[in-house]
Amino acid sequence: MELRQRELLAPFPIFIAITLFLLQLCAATSQINHSESSKQTSVSSPSAPNSRFLSSSALSLTGKHSSFRWGRRRHRNKVNRASIEFLYAHNLVRARVGEPPLEWDGRLAAYARAWARQRVGDCRLVHSNGPFGENIFWAGQNNWRPIDIVKVWADENKFYDVNGNTCEPGQMCGHYTQIVWRDSTKVGCARVDCSNGGLYAICVYNPPGNFEGENPFVSYHDQIGLLREEPPAVVVNPF
């Protein structure tokens, strides 16, 4: 009789152990589910700090298309040593007569480069006839620095009569007056080596200058109906 009672009572501790194990397993599963739910809520919540959103923004700034756009903008606005020399030389001339400095404009420089590249094969001394003011230059040798080119234009000041606002007969001074034109605020330049061994250079100004009847040292707000003429190209004899 005792043996039977023991046999009947033996499974009872095993049942308790299994029950406790199942309860612990359920509690652990519930805790894991709650933790995952909390993480999903914090990620989708717009008010909480979101590391995924920050990483996504960083990727969008360094993505293929965005990096291409930034690279193209940097190229457009790139200021190399020649650009600095062109700008410095212009502003040095303007400072001597009390005119405000010009700013370098990447779009004007790109316009100048595009036109200069068209002149590589022939080096023809022609203006682009665009909406900007222009000074162009050609030399038989390609060892001319930007500051030397601007100096050739600026040296026309000796032919310019400030009081009469005129050039000496038979002389050029339009390159100089464009450099110091008060209403011109931006400039962009380019130079190329020609196929014939020479050098072609162009500087583009905006707003343009050299309006007929206007003084370069006076500011004008209305230029409608006035004739604007580009100065002829400067040609330097290599010999």
Side-chain angles (χ1 to χ4, degrees):
M1 188 68 180
E2 266 180 51
L3 184 57
R4 285 185 179 180
Q5 287 180 351
R6 288 178 182 175
E7 290 177 352
L8 290 176
L9 293 176
F12 184 74
I14 298 175
F15 173 78
I16 294 176
I18 293 174
T19 302
L20 292 174
F21 173 77
L22 291 176
L23 290 174
Q24 292 176 354
L25 181 62
C26 291
T29 303
S30 176
Q31 185 176 3
I32 292 173
N33 292 336
H34 178 72
S35 176
E36 290 180 353
S37 176
S38 301
K39 289 182 180 179
Q40 291 177 356
T41 303
S42 64
V43 167
S44 60
S45 173
S47 59
N50 194 333
S51 59
R52 284 183 57 189
F53 176 79
L54 295 176
S55 345
S56 175
S57 299
L59 288 173
S60 67
L61 290 176
T62 57
K64 180 178 179 181
H65 298 291
S66 180
S67 63
F68 172 76
R69 289 195 297 269
W70 280 105
R72 183 169 58 184
R73 182 176 298 177
R74 284 196 300 269
H75 178 73
R76 186 184 70 185
N77 294 330
K78 182 179 179 181
V79 179
N80 54 27
R81 180 176 179 178
S83 305
I84 295 173
E85 288 186 14
F86 270 120
L87 182 62
Y88 171 79
H90 276 82
N91 288 335
L92 186 62
V93 177
R94 291 174 68 91
R96 289 172 181 168
V97 293
E99 294 298 315
L102 296 174
E103 295 179 6
W104 186 262
D105 190 290
R107 291 171 296 181
L108 295 180
Y111 181 93
R113 283 195 303 269
W115 182 252
R117 287 169 182 168
Q118 295 186 43
R119 304 274 68 84
V120 170
D122 55 25
C123 253
R124 291 181 59 196
L125 298 174
V126 292
H127 285 279
S128 70
N129 295 321
F132 311 112
E134 291 181 4
N135 282 346
I136 59 177
F137 172 94
W138 177 84
Q141 298 177 347
N142 61 2
N143 58 350
W144 286 75
R145 300 174 302 170
I147 194 169
D148 298 326
I149 297 171
V150 176
K151 184 179 184 302
V152 171
W153 293 332
D155 283 346
E156 295 177 1
N157 66 335
K158 59 180 174 287
F159 304 123
Y160 175 67
D161 181 6
V162 178
N163 297 324
N165 191 27
T166 57
C167 293
E168 289 186 14
Q171 300 293 341
M172 290 188 298
C173 61
H175 301 92
Y176 167 70
T177 55
Q178 174 58 88
I179 291 176
V180 298
W181 200 269
R182 178 168 297 181
D183 284 342
S184 296
T185 59
K186 297 181 180 180
V187 66
C189 304
R191 60 176 182 169
V192 293
D193 294 336
C194 304
S195 301
N196 61 6
L199 179 141
Y200 180 94
I202 176 175
C203 284
V204 185
Y205 307 85
N206 195 43
N210 287 343
F211 284 88
E212 185 179 3
E214 292 190 359
N215 190 303
F217 303 110
V218 178
S219 181
Y220 298 88
H221 299 287
D222 188 4
Q223 298 176 333
I224 298 175
L226 296 175
L227 177 64
R228 179 172 63 87
E229 294 184 357
E230 300 291 359
V234 168
V235 181
V236 178
N237 191 337
F239 305 106

